[in-house]
Amino acid sequence: MSYVIAIDGPGGAGKSTIARLVAAKLGITYVDTGAMYRAAAVFLNRRKIDKDDDKSIEKAVSDMDITFSNERVLLNGEDVSKKIRENDVSKMASEYSANPAVRDKLTALQRQMGKTVSLVMDGRDIGSNVFKDAKYKFYLTASPEIRAERRYKELKERGEDIEFNKILEDIKTRDERDMNRKLNPLKMADGAVLVDSTDINIDGVVEEILSNIEER
Ligand code: DC
């Protein structure tokens, strides 16, 4: 029987690193739904559609296809894996993700992916909406300061020139938006296990998650 492990939490909590490691340990597929919202933002932004222009967004998303190939993110066949990690795209993704047509489209794609195979899926609304009946649910978080510090290091390594305080501010604004939007806001799903990674390293978090999984 296939099963789903849902990992939700705010930006920069380490969800994708942890989810990828958990999936590799279990030999199952990893799906990064944040990458899908990021790719959708790139798509809509290229068409210069305003984040509040619901009509145009609804029309445009019918031409949008987002798939994964060996962990590369493909937007209508184009590899946008690098592009979606740019700092500006974080803000755009958080803004466009409040739109109902964007959410409907991506939720449907995500549910389709979990139909036949076991998955680790990370995002904001996986345990609370996309896979409400997921066998396992986790809520992974860390303090805003620690998340900003991790993000700062990551962007520096990638050669992006950005100030720490700007990142911290962006993280707080994004938390606020992701937690307070009308549709499927970020919240801890019923039955989710809370994991706070502020004072635990990556291996420790992976261990904590795996200790809850029967199939390990
Ligand atoms: O996890 P991330 O930082 O790559 O996600 C980018 C944005 O996408 C995030 O700010 C909110 C949105 N998102 C969402 O609304 N629902 C998800 N399941 C995943 C991401």
Side-chain angles (χ1 to χ4, degrees):
M1 256 275 272
S2 66
Y3 61 97
V4 171
I5 301 177
I7 304 182
D8 291 303
K15 292 188 301 294
S16 45
T17 307
I18 306 268
R20 186 176 288 114
L21 288 168
V22 169
K25 276 259 178 189
L26 296 168
I28 63 177
T29 304
Y30 164 55
V31 180
D32 175 355
T33 66
M36 300 171 79
Y37 283 93
R38 285 168 181 269
V42 168
F43 174 82
L44 294 165
N45 181 252
R46 278 181 180 167
R47 295 198 171 192
K48 303 201 173 10
I49 300 176
D50 188 89
K51 65 177 174 37
D52 298 317
D53 184 351
D54 290 357
K55 265 217 166 101
S56 304
I57 293 180
E58 192 179 348
K59 227 170 130 207
V61 294
S62 59
D63 298 338
M64 176 181 83
D65 188 34
I66 296 168
T67 51
F68 290 94
S69 169
N70 300 322
E71 297 225 355
R72 311 302 295 171
V73 188
L74 306 183
L75 170 61
N76 292 341
E78 175 195 345
D79 184 351
V80 289
S81 312
K82 207 161 161 212
K83 171 86 194 149
I84 60 168
R85 298 297 159 201
E86 288 172 11
N87 199 47
D88 296 354
V89 178
S90 304
K91 177 169 181 253
M92 283 182 341
S94 175
E95 288 172 348
Y96 284 119
S97 70
N99 177 275
V102 171
R103 299 209 73 79
D104 278 355
K105 170 105 188 193
L106 297 189
T107 302
L109 287 173
Q110 290 153 14
R111 289 191 176 136
Q112 193 59 35
M113 292 174 186
K115 267 204 167 142
T116 47
V117 296
S118 293
L119 297 177
V120 180
M121 189 174 270
D122 77 351
R124 302 291 186 289
D125 64 335
I126 311 307
S128 59
N129 171 51
V130 182
F131 289 107
K132 265 201 190 114
D133 298 329
K135 184 166 181 189
Y136 303 104
K137 297 180 188 181
F138 298 91
Y139 188 85
L140 181 63
T141 188
S143 71
E145 288 73 19
I146 278 280
R147 289 187 279 132
E149 217 170 90
R150 292 175 186 159
R151 183 91 185 120
Y152 177 72
K153 275 193 199 146
E154 194 184 314
L155 290 172
K156 272 269 143 138
E157 274 165 24
R158 220 177 295 140
E160 280 201 46
D161 185 23
I162 186 149
E163 270 179 48
F164 175 80
N165 282 337
K166 162 92 174 90
I167 295 181
L168 181 58
E169 204 181 291
D170 285 354
I171 281 201
K172 288 182 174 169
T173 315
R174 203 144 71 93
D175 282 359
E176 172 76 19
R177 203 185 299 117
D178 293 349
M179 290 175 182
N180 292 302
R181 66 170 177 239
K182 259 203 245 141
L183 275 173
N184 313 123
L186 168 65
K187 60 173 184 209
M188 199 166 139
D190 287 341
V193 174
L194 175 67
V195 181
D196 188 329
S197 75
T198 306
D199 299 313
I200 338 178
N201 65 17
I202 291 171
D203 290 345
V205 175
V206 171
E207 254 326 295
E208 193 168 330
I209 289 180
L210 286 173
S211 71
N212 287 275
I213 312 290
E214 279 170 24
E215 290 83 353
R216 74 180 188 278

